[in-house]
Amino acid sequence: MSTSPSTPSPSPARGTPVLAAHALSKSYGPTEALRGASVELAAGEILALTGASGSGKSTLLHCMAGIVAPDAGAVTYAGRHLGSLSESRRTLLRRTDFGVVFQFGQLIPELVVRDNVALPLLLAGVRRAAAEQRAEEWLERFGVRGQATSRPGELSGGQAQRAAMARALVTEPKVIFADEPTGALDSLAGEQVLTALVHVARESGTAVLVVTHDAQVAAYADREVQLRDGAVAPDPVVAAARGAGGDEH
């Protein structure tokens, strides 16, 4: 019996491939954003997608999160092809198994921080009291519980981004997608945000796919995949090893 996207999928063992992009292509008019890009994410892994501006890294993340449909290729999650799901089912999947953090957090300005974090739980049918309690627990884990009753406009950039991460993780997803999560922060605030994200992800066994052009951000990852002109660039270590092997003959 298949698992419904409206309920979380069983947690795969750490290191097991959980999400994969297979030869993705995507164009916006005459511009090729992706050209046959393939990448795999394992359960519990922190993977950095790096590359210059316009290399296709954000497009790849959006395709893997089911936000954007590729023109060709496929994305599989826990054995399911995302392209075979309706938009409503992909939305449900993002509420249960996926969490997304954007560069500017995108907290709802009219809601206090606690309600922002509780919102995914409320949409999933969790009772308000329980949702608010869990929201405050996640705010505590990210060090911003003291701002629970503040509005987003009253927070610093780093506090707002940590609250956005608490919201992304409150449903205990299997995968977090972070698109330039420190791009709008100064170096100190960015370091605090990344330290908190990595600590919580390691603690909960959540896989993280982070897009960045910052080498310091990529250094927090277990592995780095570089995009160049919409395609995955060859791994320099593997290329060097192959070259050395060829020199032996």
Side-chain angles (χ1 to χ4, degrees), residues 72-164:
V75 177
T76 57
Y77 169 70
R80 288 174 287 178
H81 285 266
L82 295 192
S84 68
L85 303 178
S86 66
E87 177 56 36
S88 62
R89 288 170 71 84
R90 288 196 299 272
T91 298
L92 284 172
L93 189 65
R94 289 194 294 272
R95 288 182 187 172
T96 56
D97 287 33
F98 294 171
V100 183
V101 179
F102 295 102
Q103 181 173 339
F104 297 102
Q106 296 187 335
L107 297 175
I108 300 172
E110 294 81 10
L111 300 180
V112 298
V113 171
R114 180 185 58 219
D115 291 347
N116 264 282
V117 177
L119 185 58
L121 297 173
L122 294 172
L123 290 173
V126 177
R127 292 182 180 274
R128 176 168 290 276
E132 290 181 350
Q133 180 180 345
R134 283 172 61 182
E136 295 212 8
E137 290 170 356
W138 278 97
L139 287 169
E140 177 70 31
R141 295 174 79 170
F142 278 97
V144 284
R145 187 168 186 169
Q147 286 70 45
T149 58
S150 300
R151 295 191 184 276
E154 300 172 314
L155 306 185
S156 69
Q159 289 171 333
Q161 197 64 317
R162 279 183 278 166

Side-chain angles (χ1 to χ4, degrees), residues 173-216:
K174 308 300 183 300
V175 183
I176 287 290
F177 300 88
D179 192 356
E180 297 281 8
T182 64
L185 306 178
D186 61 44
S187 58
L188 178 58
E191 183 177 353
Q192 291 172 337
V193 164
L194 284 170
T195 299
L197 175 60
V198 169
H199 174 74
V200 171
R202 299 282 191 222
E203 188 177 61
S204 60
T206 304
V208 179
L209 185 66
V210 57
V211 159
T212 185
H213 63 273
D214 188 335
Q216 290 183 319

